Every structure is written in C-alpha cells, then in structure tokens.
C-alpha cells in the first residue's frame, strides 16, 4: 500500500504543479488583516507536498490538497476579496485536477476520497470557523476581539471548504452524514460574518434538498431556531436565508400545517419585509422562494392575511415587472389554497387588480401581467361568486377594461 500511496503522491504533485505556478504568477494584493493571514499564504502552506515521505504524511497531503482544491473550485461562485482574485482558469484546472486524482484514488484504494476525508476534515473546519466566533457568554466580546484571536479569513475559507464538501454528497448518502455535517453548518450560521453565514446557508439548503426529516432527527428544532435567528441577516444573504428557512421548515414540519415553526418563521420574515417594503431585492427573494411554505400551511394562511395582503397591494404597483409578476403568481397560489374565505379583502383586491390592469399598458411585461390578472379575476369569480360580482359591478362598463368583460361574463360558479 505504501508504494501505491507514494505513486498517488507523485501523481498529485504532478496534477497540482501547474496550479501552483499559475497562482504564483497571479497578482494578489491581500485585503485581509491580522497575523499575516492571506488566502495565498494559506494555500501555499497546504500545498507543501514535496517533502512528505511516511504514509501518514502522505495521507495528510491528500487531505490538505483536497482542501486547497475545494477552495480554488469554490472561488468561481465567490465575490469575496479572499477568493475573487483567483482566476477562473485556475478554478477550472483545480476541478479537473481533483476529479482526476479522486478517480485514481478510488482505483488504487477502493474508497471514495471525500468519504475518507470527511470524518476528520469536517470537525477541523468547524473548529476553524468557531475560532473567530463571538463568545455569547462574554458581553464584552465583539467582532474585533473575535478577529484578534484568529483572523476571520480562516473562518471564511473554512466555510467555503465545508460547503464544498457537503455538496459532494446527495441523497441517500448525505442523510447518513447528518450527525457529522449539521453541527458544522450550525456553527457557520452562528458566526458574525455574513460570508461565513452564507456558506452555512448554502450547505443547509443542499442538506434540505437531499435528506428526509427522520435523518435530520433531533436537530430539527435547533436548526429552525437558527433559521429564525438569522432572518434578520444582512441584505447580501437575505435570499439565502429565505430559501434555506423555507426548505428546512417544509422538510421538517410538512406533516403539521399548524406547527409553531411555520408561524415563527413566516412572522419573522413578514416583520422584516414590513420594515423595508421598498427593498426590491428582499421582496423579490421572498416572493421567489415562499411558495413551498404557503403550500405546506394551506388554510392556515388565513391567519396571516392581515399582514400579507397589505404588502401584496403595495408590491402590485412596484416599478419593476419582476415584482409585479411574482406577486400575481403568489396571489393565485393563496387564492387556490384558501379561496380567501371570510376576509374583507375581496373588494380591495378587485380594485387593485383593475388598477394594475390599466397601469400595465405602459409596462414592458404588459401581456404577461394582464394574463395573470385575468386568471386571478376568474379564480375570484369561481370561488367568491356573488361577492365578486358585487365588487366587479362598478368596473364592468369601464372602457379601459372592456377586454376583461367577455372572459368574466356568465362565469359565476360558487365552489363549495
């Protein structure tokens, strides 16, 4: 086996040589501060492979080289200063090198390289993330103090490496690894850096898509509490926290539409949207990802109408077509799930839809917006019958709405 490991070691040096040369030629002005920690210095320290001779040293080289390649591969999806300097050609070469080495490792050792490395690597990455975290038991422990102990760049790079490792597994294998990866993902969510949090969120999103509630086990409540704590995240990771939270709460609570977790998460999101209703990025992210939660709670949505509809009414007249179309599509979902029973919003909804129909004449997405409005009006007519007709009566002779008349005439069907 030692001869085989030595051969693999030589092959790894061959595969990474050109990558090191490219990195050496790449201009890099580190913006990170503290203790001389830079991405480049960390990469070089991990790729110090030539002098290793024992089997244990060579196995450590395989681990460290994989961590470096994971970083270089991940740089393609990062805009952070610690990774954005890495050229795309280097990232592509790193992915090619890893795939080639992983295949050769399987052929020689009859084991998956990432599976072998995971039990040792994930706990170490968890500790690296934790080193620059804030000690919540120490009220005087602030961001600067945390970074003084260990430069935050270490936590950022560890978070990227961790997310890469997690995304190498899918169902059903990932479910078997939950007890190993979830603690590290929670540590990332608990960090003060948005960049670290974001990678933890991406890891949890992948987990939610590839495991079942039984595999998450007793971590469920802890994870959902972490989701609630992070809904107040910075703008740059709001989309990530919304997608993660919706996926995790629907994954773990799907069988109980009245779960308090649905209410907590939805109320937290609505609170932040109400404080920043004009924040385009936040509303679009929420509208884009919230549908699975709506579907999971069904009729329970009625309890949230007093907060949802005022936002919908405001966003229906937003400047951008993307927001308007997303609102109209989510409205259709809400109507189909609830028939908007026992609510005072029918008349107001018809008013806002007809107003938007007229406004759409000046929009680029005019045809799609108007098609969605018609679908909603037909749904309202079908589920509310005479109540809809009473609200529509004042508009039926409006010449600007004449195109709607034929589609709505003679369609009264009360659903029971």
């Amino acid at each position: 086996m030692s001869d085989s490991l030595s051969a693999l070691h030589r092959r790894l040096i061959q595969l990474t040589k050109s990558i090191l040369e490219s990195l050496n030629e790449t201009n890099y002005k580190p913006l990170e501060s503290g203790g001389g920690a830079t991405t480049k210095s960390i990469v070089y320290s991990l790729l110090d492979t030539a002098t290793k001779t024992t089997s244990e040293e060579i196995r450590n080289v395989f681990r460290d080289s994989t961590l470096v390649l994971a970083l270089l591969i991940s740089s393609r999806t990062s805009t952070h200063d610690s990774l954005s300097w890495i050229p795309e050609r280097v990232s592509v070469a790193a992915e090619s090198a890893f795939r080639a080495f992983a295949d050769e490792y399987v052929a020689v050792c009859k084991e998956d390289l990432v599976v072998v490395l995971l039990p040792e690597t994930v706990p170490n990455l968890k500790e690296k993330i934790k080193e620059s975290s804030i000690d919540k038991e120490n009220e005087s422990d602030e961001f600067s103090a945390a970074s003084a102990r260990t430069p935050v760049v270490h936590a950022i790079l560890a978070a990227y490496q961790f997310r890469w490792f997690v995304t190498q597994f899918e169902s059903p294998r990932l479910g078997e690894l939950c007890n190993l990866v979830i603690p590290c993902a929670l540590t990332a969510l608990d960090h003060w850096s948005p960049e670290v949090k974001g990678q933890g969120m991406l890891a949890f999103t992948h987990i939610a898509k590839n495991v079942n509630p039984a595999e998450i086990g007793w971590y469920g409540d802890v994870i959902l509490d972490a989701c609630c704590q992070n809904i107040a995240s910075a703008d740059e990771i709001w989309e990530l926290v919304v997608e993660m939270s919706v996926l995790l709460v629907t994954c773990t609570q799907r069988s109980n539409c009245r779960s308090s977790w649905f209410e907590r998460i939805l109320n937290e999101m609505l609170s932040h949207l109400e404080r920043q209703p004009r924040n385009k990025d936040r509303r679009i992210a929420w509208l884009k990802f919230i549908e699975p939660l709506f579907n999971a709670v069904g009729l329970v949505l009625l309890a949230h109408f007093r907060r949802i509809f005022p936002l919908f009414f405001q966003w229906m007249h937003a400047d951008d077509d993307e927001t308007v179309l997303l609102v109209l599509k989510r409205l259709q979902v809400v109507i189909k799930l609830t028939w908007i029973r026992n609510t005072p919003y029918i008349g107001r909804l018809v008013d806002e839809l007809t107003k938007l129909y007229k406004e759409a004449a000046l929009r680029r997405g005019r045809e799609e917006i108007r098609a969605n409005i018609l679908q909603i009006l037909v749904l309202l007519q079908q589920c509310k019958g005479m109540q809809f007709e009473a609200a529509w009566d004042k508009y039926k002779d409006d010449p600007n709405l004449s195109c709607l008349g034929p589609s709505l005439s003679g369609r009264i069907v009360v659903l029971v």
Side-chain angles (χ1 to χ4, degrees), residues 283-351:
R283 72 190 183 219
I284 286 178
W286 188 77
L287 289 166
K288 187 187 300 182
F289 293 112
I290 199 63
E291 184 175 348
L293 189 151
F294 282 0
N295 288 328
V297 300
L299 277 173
V300 178
L301 272 178
L302 289 165
H304 299 277
F305 274 12
R306 64 181 179 82
R307 303 185 73 185
I308 292 174
F309 270 93
L311 290 170
F312 278 5
F313 291 148
Q314 181 173 348
W315 293 340
M316 282 168 62
H317 307 289
D319 293 338
D320 62 294
D321 288 359
E322 184 177 7
T323 295
V324 173
L325 286 167
L326 283 169
V327 169
L328 294 175
K329 292 181 185 302
R330 295 300 87 83
L331 261 174
Q332 291 182 57
V333 172
V334 169
I335 294 170
K336 290 176 181 178
L337 289 171
T338 67
W339 301 349
I340 52 176
R341 300 177 182 178
N342 303 320
T343 68
Y345 297 109
I346 304 303
R348 174 76 183 278
L349 184 52
V350 173
D351 291 344

Side-chain angles (χ1 to χ4, degrees), residues 28 32 37-43 46 67-68 70-72 74-75 78 80-86 125 128-129 132 151-165 193 195-196 199:
Y28 175 49
E32 303 98 336
T38 68
T39 307
K40 207 166 191 176
S41 65
I42 292 170
V43 167
L46 290 174
L67 285 168
V68 169
L71 265 186
L72 299 179
S74 298
S75 68
S78 175
H80 193 266
D81 295 331
S82 61
L83 290 172
S84 60
W85 62 275
I86 298 171
L125 294 175
K128 285 185 178 295
I129 294 171
S132 59
V152 70
V153 63
H154 288 287
I156 292 172
L157 299 186
Y160 272 93
Q161 290 164 328
F162 168 69
R163 192 263 303 167
W164 180 87
F165 268 92
S193 165
E195 198 71 20
V196 175
Q199 295 305 302

Side-chain angles (χ1 to χ4, degrees), residues 135-151:
D135 183 359
K136 293 184 177 181
E137 296 181 359
N138 183 355
E139 294 181 359
S140 65
D141 192 8
E142 309 242 343
F143 300 156
S144 57
S147 292
R149 291 194 304 271
T150 302

